[in-house]
Amino acid sequence: MTDTVLPTPAARRFEPLASRRYTLEIRQQMPWPQQALVLALAVLVGLAISGAILVAAGVPADELFQEFVVATVFDAQSLQAVLFQAAPMIMVGLAASIAFRARFWNLGLEGQMFWGAIGATAVSIFELGPPGVRLPLMLAVAAGCGLLWALGPALLKLRLGVNEIIATLMLNYVAGNFLLHLLYGAWKDPQSAFPHSPQFRAFERLPEFLGPSGAAVALALAAMVLAWWFVNASRAGLYLRFVHANPTMADAAGVPVARMVLAAVLVSGALAGVAGFLVAAGQEGRLTQAFHHGYGFSGILIAFLARNHPVAATLVAVLIALLFVAGRSLQVFYQIPFAMVQLIQAIVVISVASSDFFIRHRLRRMQ
């Protein structure tokens, strides 16, 4: 009987491609620097595909870099627009990330934003507290209203086993219709008779700090730091890792699963409420009926793309805000339809989402 001779590494290197065999394996863990590299490459691929589509639609190829980078990032006015959009998106992205870490699929971010803005506006309309503490009080009430709106679905899930996806999603409509009831009724602006609240006073609006959006961005970054500490450096964050990995085993190991889920959901609701406050007291200066458009489901998308990591959620939120502002610029200057702007955003998102396959799997050449 003859022994099987295995090819040497040098021989295997020159083996024809058609005769090589590979197997698909699940990675145990990919280091964060490599994950960041894969995500960056995915963004570049998405932008390249989007650029080809825009060139085919009539946008000059030599002006794409100008529109997406120079005119959006290095122009002061456009950069402020990006930061205006990014601050609330960071908040809702953090809110979704923390809830998802507890395996609570909070799709009620828009409803919690509604109640955050309603609570802040109520403080302004009823002139609660002295002027010097009015703005911090609006912030605290907004967080409390978002927290309380998230409490109901959390208790329904923990006590009665009600599916949180349905509960949180349906409560968005309840909160939205209550908002319309207020704006078309008691809170309608008496001066203009338009369906929005009266203008906030100067001391009830976010101050200009390093630009019009500086205060909102500072609050969002502070929330990111606290969220990072909560999920990575606190005991609660350690418990949440067990809950996210396997709630049944975590409960058997003595982890207070119900309390951790409740805490994560309440923090999520409070952050979403603060996002409503940022839009009402920062961007709008009053309560409007369309202030929430796109933020709620953007938060879910941000959490998914960031894999529930607070710092990554902040970066993804800025990227989505940049795409939004650049898309709006393309609409104005090149008459690109809004559907194509949405297509570009979707291509980038799909590219980033597809990178998850390469992060979780690898090809290994068989012997």
Side-chain angles (χ1 to χ4, degrees):
M1 186 176 65
T2 60
D3 295 334
T4 302
V5 179
L6 295 176
T8 63
R12 293 178 69 247
R13 189 180 305 117
F14 295 102
E15 187 178 349
L17 289 176
S19 61
R20 297 180 184 180
R21 298 179 63 190
Y22 294 88
T23 181
L24 187 65
E25 294 182 340
I26 297 178
R27 294 182 189 269
Q28 294 299 321
Q29 183 68 31
M30 176 182 278
W32 270 105
Q34 293 183 22
Q35 291 191 37
L37 178 62
V38 172
L39 290 172
L41 291 175
V43 171
L44 291 177
V45 170
L47 292 176
I49 297 173
S50 301
I53 293 175
L54 289 173
V55 170
V59 179
D62 57 346
E63 296 185 13
L64 286 176
F65 182 79
Q66 172 73 21
E67 288 298 330
F68 272 97
V69 180
V70 178
T72 305
V73 178
F74 296 102
D75 178 74
Q77 187 175 1
S78 296
L79 181 60
Q80 285 298 328
V82 171
L83 295 178
F84 261 125
Q85 295 292 331
M89 284 188 178
I90 292 172
M91 283 292 186
V92 294
L94 294 174
S97 297
I98 291 178
F100 292 172
R101 278 181 172 266
R103 288 183 172 266
F104 187 96
W105 313 115
N106 183 10
L107 303 190
L109 297 171
E110 282 193 356
Q112 292 143 28
M113 280 188 70
F114 285 143
W115 277 101
I118 289 171
T121 306
V123 174
S124 172
I125 289 177
F126 297 110
E127 300 183 11
L128 302 178
V133 299
R134 185 74 56 79
L135 191 63
L137 183 60
M138 292 169 66
L139 171 62
V141 172
C145 288
L147 180 151
L148 291 175
W149 197 245
L151 177 62
L155 293 179
L156 287 174
K157 177 181 176 63
L158 295 174
R159 297 298 179 90
L160 302 176
V162 176
N163 188 299
E164 73 273 18
I165 295 176
I166 297 174
T168 54
L169 191 60
M170 293 298 103
L171 284 175
N172 285 342
Y173 296 100
V174 176
N177 282 297
F178 185 72
L179 173 70
L180 295 178
H181 166 74
L182 292 174
L183 295 181
Y184 281 90
W187 287 7
K188 181 187 291 187
D189 188 356
Q191 294 184 353
S192 64
F194 278 97
H196 52 63
S197 73
Q199 188 78 34
F200 291 171
R201 302 165 187 83
F203 57 84
E204 296 170 344
R205 301 197 60 178
L206 289 174
E208 291 193 7
F209 171 70
L210 298 177
S213 58
V217 173
L219 284 173
L221 294 178
M224 179 204 71
V225 172
L226 291 175
W228 179 89
W229 174 84
F230 179 74
V231 301
N232 289 292
S234 68
R235 179 180 296 182
L238 178 62
Y239 285 164
L240 280 177
R241 292 180 208 171
F242 286 110
V243 173
H244 181 74
N246 193 321
T248 304
M249 290 299 295
D251 185 60
V255 175
V257 174
R259 277 191 295 168
M260 293 314 307
V261 171
L262 181 61
V265 174
L266 295 183
V267 171
S268 175
L271 288 173
V274 172
F277 162 79
L278 291 182
V279 178
Q283 295 182 13
E284 303 285 352
R286 56 168 37 121
L287 183 65
T288 63
Q289 58 181 321
F291 78 93
H292 65 286
H293 279 176
Y295 285 116
F297 289 102
S298 293
I300 298 169
L301 178 64
I302 290 167
F304 171 74
L305 296 180
R307 292 169 181 80
N308 303 330
H309 192 282
V311 177
T314 302
L315 298 177
V316 173
V318 173
L319 172 63
I320 291 179
L322 191 147
L323 289 175
F324 179 84
V325 173
R328 189 167 56 188
S329 175
L330 290 172
Q331 281 185 271
V332 173
F333 293 106
Y334 297 98
Q335 288 74 50
I336 296 296
F338 182 64
M340 184 167 290
V341 174
Q342 289 180 313
L343 175 63
I344 293 170
Q345 295 171 348
I347 288 172
V348 175
V349 168
I350 291 172
S351 298
V352 175
S354 301
S355 68
D356 185 72
F357 175 83
F358 299 99
I359 291 175
R360 297 182 183 275
H361 300 83
R362 65 178 180 182
L363 283 175
R364 186 179 65 85
R365 187 175 176 183
M366 299 180 65
Q367 298 293 339

mmCIF file of all heavy atoms in Angstrom, residues 164-190:
data_model
loop_
_atom_site.group_PDB
_atom_site.id
_atom_site.type_symbol
_atom_site.label_atom_id
_atom_site.label_comp_id
_atom_site.label_asym_id
_atom_site.label_seq_id
_atom_site.Cartn_x
_atom_site.Cartn_y
_atom_site.Cartn_z
ATOM 1 N N GLU A 164 -43.657 42.879 22.090
ATOM 2 C CA GLU A 164 -43.306 44.304 22.177
ATOM 3 C C GLU A 164 -43.269 44.976 20.810
ATOM 4 O O GLU A 164 -43.446 46.197 20.717
ATOM 5 C CB GLU A 164 -41.959 44.478 22.875
ATOM 6 C CG GLU A 164 -40.739 44.083 22.074
ATOM 7 C CD GLU A 164 -40.406 42.609 22.212
ATOM 8 O OE1 GLU A 164 -41.283 41.831 22.644
ATOM 9 O OE2 GLU A 164 -39.271 42.224 21.880
ATOM 10 N N ILE A 165 -43.056 44.210 19.742
ATOM 11 C CA ILE A 165 -43.052 44.814 18.407
ATOM 12 C C ILE A 165 -44.423 45.397 18.096
ATOM 13 O O ILE A 165 -44.557 46.546 17.640
ATOM 14 C CB ILE A 165 -42.643 43.773 17.356
ATOM 15 C CG1 ILE A 165 -41.202 43.325 17.583
ATOM 16 C CG2 ILE A 165 -42.811 44.328 15.950
ATOM 17 C CD1 ILE A 165 -40.736 42.237 16.653
ATOM 18 N N ILE A 166 -45.447 44.623 18.352
ATOM 19 C CA ILE A 166 -46.819 45.094 18.088
ATOM 20 C C ILE A 166 -47.186 46.220 19.043
ATOM 21 O O ILE A 166 -47.743 47.254 18.631
ATOM 22 C CB ILE A 166 -47.802 43.921 18.211
ATOM 23 C CG1 ILE A 166 -47.498 42.854 17.156
ATOM 24 C CG2 ILE A 166 -49.237 44.415 18.085
ATOM 25 C CD1 ILE A 166 -48.324 41.608 17.284
ATOM 26 N N ALA A 167 -46.880 46.043 20.336
ATOM 27 C CA ALA A 167 -47.284 47.038 21.326
ATOM 28 C C ALA A 167 -46.629 48.390 21.061
ATOM 29 O O ALA A 167 -47.305 49.431 21.047
ATOM 30 C CB ALA A 167 -46.933 46.538 22.727
ATOM 31 N N THR A 168 -45.315 48.395 20.850
ATOM 32 C CA THR A 168 -44.629 49.675 20.646
ATOM 33 C C THR A 168 -45.024 50.312 19.315
ATOM 34 O O THR A 168 -45.175 51.539 19.230
ATOM 35 C CB THR A 168 -43.110 49.479 20.695
ATOM 36 O OG1 THR A 168 -42.720 48.459 19.750
ATOM 37 C CG2 THR A 168 -42.664 49.061 22.083
ATOM 38 N N LEU A 169 -45.202 49.499 18.281
ATOM 39 C CA LEU A 169 -45.561 50.043 16.973
ATOM 40 C C LEU A 169 -46.950 50.670 17.001
ATOM 41 O O LEU A 169 -47.168 51.766 16.470
ATOM 42 C CB LEU A 169 -45.494 48.934 15.923
ATOM 43 C CG LEU A 169 -45.595 49.358 14.461
ATOM 44 C CD1 LEU A 169 -44.458 50.296 14.096
ATOM 45 C CD2 LEU A 169 -45.580 48.143 13.561
ATOM 46 N N MET A 170 -47.914 49.998 17.625
ATOM 47 C CA MET A 170 -49.272 50.541 17.678
ATOM 48 C C MET A 170 -49.350 51.801 18.537
ATOM 49 O O MET A 170 -50.124 52.720 18.246
ATOM 50 C CB MET A 170 -50.230 49.471 18.223
ATOM 51 C CG MET A 170 -50.426 48.270 17.314
ATOM 52 S SD MET A 170 -51.165 48.716 15.699
ATOM 53 C CE MET A 170 -49.709 48.655 14.640
ATOM 54 N N LEU A 171 -48.536 51.862 19.580
ATOM 55 C CA LEU A 171 -48.557 53.050 20.428
ATOM 56 C C LEU A 171 -48.005 54.270 19.705
ATOM 57 O O LEU A 171 -48.284 55.409 20.115
ATOM 58 C CB LEU A 171 -47.769 52.787 21.711
ATOM 59 C CG LEU A 171 -48.491 51.924 22.751
ATOM 60 C CD1 LEU A 171 -47.576 51.622 23.930
ATOM 61 C CD2 LEU A 171 -49.768 52.606 23.239
ATOM 62 N N ASN A 172 -47.232 54.079 18.637
ATOM 63 C CA ASN A 172 -46.816 55.226 17.827
ATOM 64 C C ASN A 172 -48.022 55.967 17.278
ATOM 65 O O ASN A 172 -48.045 57.211 17.249
ATOM 66 C CB ASN A 172 -45.937 54.757 16.666
ATOM 67 C CG ASN A 172 -44.541 54.387 17.092
ATOM 68 O OD1 ASN A 172 -44.074 54.768 18.160
ATOM 69 N ND2 ASN A 172 -43.852 53.626 16.257
ATOM 70 N N TYR A 173 -49.025 55.223 16.822
ATOM 71 C CA TYR A 173 -50.220 55.856 16.245
ATOM 72 C C TYR A 173 -51.036 56.565 17.316
ATOM 73 O O TYR A 173 -51.605 57.636 17.066
ATOM 74 C CB TYR A 173 -51.063 54.803 15.527
ATOM 75 C CG TYR A 173 -50.357 54.184 14.349
ATOM 76 C CD1 TYR A 173 -49.736 52.944 14.451
ATOM 77 C CD2 TYR A 173 -50.289 54.844 13.126
ATOM 78 C CE1 TYR A 173 -49.073 52.378 13.379
ATOM 79 C CE2 TYR A 173 -49.628 54.282 12.037
ATOM 80 C CZ TYR A 173 -49.025 53.050 12.172
ATOM 81 O OH TYR A 173 -48.359 52.502 11.099
ATOM 82 N N VAL A 174 -51.074 55.993 18.488
ATOM 83 C CA VAL A 174 -51.790 56.657 19.593
ATOM 84 C C VAL A 174 -51.131 57.991 19.912
ATOM 85 O O VAL A 174 -51.793 59.030 20.023
ATOM 86 C CB VAL A 174 -51.824 55.752 20.835
ATOM 87 C CG1 VAL A 174 -52.476 56.467 22.010
ATOM 88 C CG2 VAL A 174 -52.553 54.447 20.536
ATOM 89 N N ALA A 175 -49.800 57.977 20.058
ATOM 90 C CA ALA A 175 -49.081 59.210 20.372
ATOM 91 C C ALA A 175 -49.191 60.220 19.231
ATOM 92 O O ALA A 175 -49.372 61.424 19.467
ATOM 93 C CB ALA A 175 -47.613 58.897 20.660
ATOM 94 N N GLY A 176 -49.096 59.749 17.977
ATOM 95 C CA GLY A 176 -49.189 60.658 16.843
ATOM 96 C C GLY A 176 -50.540 61.322 16.738
ATOM 97 O O GLY A 176 -50.637 62.531 16.464
ATOM 98 N N ASN A 177 -51.609 60.580 16.963
ATOM 99 C CA ASN A 177 -52.942 61.172 16.895
ATOM 100 C C ASN A 177 -53.204 62.114 18.066
ATOM 101 O O ASN A 177 -53.912 63.123 17.913
ATOM 102 C CB ASN A 177 -54.001 60.075 16.851
ATOM 103 C CG ASN A 177 -54.114 59.450 15.475
ATOM 104 O OD1 ASN A 177 -54.459 60.097 14.496
ATOM 105 N ND2 ASN A 177 -53.781 58.174 15.371
ATOM 106 N N PHE A 178 -52.634 61.825 19.230
ATOM 107 C CA PHE A 178 -52.764 62.753 20.343
ATOM 108 C C PHE A 178 -52.024 64.057 20.053
ATOM 109 O O PHE A 178 -52.493 65.149 20.407
ATOM 110 C CB PHE A 178 -52.243 62.117 21.628
ATOM 111 C CG PHE A 178 -52.445 62.978 22.841
ATOM 112 C CD1 PHE A 178 -53.717 63.162 23.378
ATOM 113 C CD2 PHE A 178 -51.367 63.608 23.452
ATOM 114 C CE1 PHE A 178 -53.908 63.954 24.491
ATOM 115 C CE2 PHE A 178 -51.546 64.401 24.565
ATOM 116 C CZ PHE A 178 -52.829 64.574 25.090
ATOM 117 N N LEU A 179 -50.869 63.946 19.381
ATOM 118 C CA LEU A 179 -50.149 65.148 18.966
ATOM 119 C C LEU A 179 -51.007 66.002 18.033
ATOM 120 O O LEU A 179 -51.104 67.233 18.205
ATOM 121 C CB LEU A 179 -48.851 64.741 18.278
ATOM 122 C CG LEU A 179 -48.045 65.870 17.614
ATOM 123 C CD1 LEU A 179 -47.433 66.783 18.663
ATOM 124 C CD2 LEU A 179 -46.947 65.302 16.719
ATOM 125 N N LEU A 180 -51.638 65.374 17.047
ATOM 126 C CA LEU A 180 -52.507 66.117 16.129
ATOM 127 C C LEU A 180 -53.692 66.735 16.873
ATOM 128 O O LEU A 180 -54.112 67.856 16.564
ATOM 129 C CB LEU A 180 -52.989 65.196 15.013
ATOM 130 C CG LEU A 180 -51.904 64.651 14.073
ATOM 131 C CD1 LEU A 180 -52.521 63.707 13.050
ATOM 132 C CD2 LEU A 180 -51.166 65.784 13.389
ATOM 133 N N HIS A 181 -54.237 66.021 17.830
ATOM 134 C CA HIS A 181 -55.351 66.544 18.638
ATOM 135 C C HIS A 181 -54.935 67.838 19.345
ATOM 136 O O HIS A 181 -55.703 68.813 19.389
ATOM 137 C CB HIS A 181 -55.787 65.494 19.658
ATOM 138 C CG HIS A 181 -56.673 66.027 20.727
ATOM 139 N ND1 HIS A 181 -58.000 66.362 20.505
ATOM 140 C CD2 HIS A 181 -56.418 66.301 22.041
ATOM 141 C CE1 HIS A 181 -58.532 66.818 21.634
ATOM 142 N NE2 HIS A 181 -57.596 66.790 22.580
ATOM 143 N N LEU A 182 -53.714 67.873 19.864
ATOM 144 C CA LEU A 182 -53.248 69.075 20.546
ATOM 145 C C LEU A 182 -52.998 70.219 19.568
ATOM 146 O O LEU A 182 -53.376 71.367 19.818
ATOM 147 C CB LEU A 182 -51.961 68.766 21.318
ATOM 148 C CG LEU A 182 -52.084 67.838 22.531
ATOM 149 C CD1 LEU A 182 -50.702 67.520 23.081
ATOM 150 C CD2 LEU A 182 -52.959 68.464 23.609
ATOM 151 N N LEU A 183 -52.349 69.918 18.435
ATOM 152 C CA LEU A 183 -51.947 70.972 17.512
ATOM 153 C C LEU A 183 -53.122 71.534 16.718
ATOM 154 O O LEU A 183 -53.065 72.686 16.269
ATOM 155 C CB LEU A 183 -50.875 70.451 16.555
ATOM 156 C CG LEU A 183 -49.546 70.073 17.209
ATOM 157 C CD1 LEU A 183 -48.548 69.604 16.158
ATOM 158 C CD2 LEU A 183 -48.965 71.237 17.990
ATOM 159 N N TYR A 184 -54.158 70.748 16.520
ATOM 160 C CA TYR A 184 -55.355 71.264 15.848
ATOM 161 C C TYR A 184 -56.397 71.748 16.852
ATOM 162 O O TYR A 184 -57.492 72.168 16.444
ATOM 163 C CB TYR A 184 -55.958 70.183 14.949
ATOM 164 C CG TYR A 184 -55.224 70.022 13.637
ATOM 165 C CD1 TYR A 184 -54.166 69.122 13.521
ATOM 166 C CD2 TYR A 184 -55.568 70.775 12.527
ATOM 167 C CE1 TYR A 184 -53.481 68.970 12.339
ATOM 168 C CE2 TYR A 184 -54.890 70.630 11.334
ATOM 169 C CZ TYR A 184 -53.841 69.725 11.239
ATOM 170 O OH TYR A 184 -53.165 69.595 10.044
ATOM 171 N N GLY A 185 -56.052 71.661 18.118
ATOM 172 C CA GLY A 185 -56.991 72.064 19.156
ATOM 173 C C GLY A 185 -56.399 73.084 20.094
ATOM 174 O O GLY A 185 -56.079 74.215 19.695
ATOM 175 N N ALA A 186 -56.194 72.687 21.341
ATOM 176 C CA ALA A 186 -55.843 73.640 22.389
ATOM 177 C C ALA A 186 -54.482 74.284 22.196
ATOM 178 O O ALA A 186 -54.264 75.414 22.647
ATOM 179 C CB ALA A 186 -55.890 72.936 23.753
ATOM 180 N N TRP A 187 -53.556 73.615 21.537
ATOM 181 C CA TRP A 187 -52.202 74.158 21.413
ATOM 182 C C TRP A 187 -51.943 74.823 20.067
ATOM 183 O O TRP A 187 -50.800 75.172 19.761
ATOM 184 C CB TRP A 187 -51.171 73.053 21.636
ATOM 185 C CG TRP A 187 -51.063 72.639 23.070
ATOM 186 C CD1 TRP A 187 -51.849 73.025 24.107
ATOM 187 C CD2 TRP A 187 -50.081 71.745 23.617
ATOM 188 N NE1 TRP A 187 -51.440 72.437 25.266
ATOM 189 C CE2 TRP A 187 -50.357 71.641 25.013
ATOM 190 C CE3 TRP A 187 -49.024 71.023 23.098
ATOM 191 C CZ2 TRP A 187 -49.595 70.841 25.859
ATOM 192 C CZ3 TRP A 187 -48.265 70.228 23.934
ATOM 193 C CH2 TRP A 187 -48.550 70.140 25.310
ATOM 194 N N LYS A 188 -52.968 75.038 19.257
ATOM 195 C CA LYS A 188 -52.762 75.716 17.979
ATOM 196 C C LYS A 188 -52.288 77.144 18.219
ATOM 197 O O LYS A 188 -52.764 77.833 19.113
ATOM 198 C CB LYS A 188 -54.060 75.721 17.171
ATOM 199 C CG LYS A 188 -53.917 76.388 15.803
ATOM 200 C CD LYS A 188 -55.256 76.527 15.103
ATOM 201 C CE LYS A 188 -55.795 75.167 14.689
ATOM 202 N NZ LYS A 188 -57.027 75.320 13.858
ATOM 203 N N ASP A 189 -51.344 77.577 17.402
ATOM 204 C CA ASP A 189 -50.786 78.919 17.559
ATOM 205 C C ASP A 189 -51.878 79.967 17.337
ATOM 206 O O ASP A 189 -52.435 80.054 16.242
ATOM 207 C CB ASP A 189 -49.657 79.122 16.540
ATOM 208 C CG ASP A 189 -48.893 80.417 16.764
ATOM 209 O OD1 ASP A 189 -49.273 81.191 17.660
ATOM 210 O OD2 ASP A 189 -47.898 80.647 16.043
ATOM 211 N N PRO A 190 -52.216 80.766 18.358
ATOM 212 C CA PRO A 190 -53.312 81.737 18.188
ATOM 213 C C PRO A 190 -52.967 82.871 17.230
ATOM 214 O O PRO A 190 -53.876 83.509 16.682
ATOM 215 C CB PRO A 190 -53.524 82.259 19.617
ATOM 216 C CG PRO A 190 -52.227 82.041 20.304
ATOM 217 C CD PRO A 190 -51.639 80.806 19.705
#
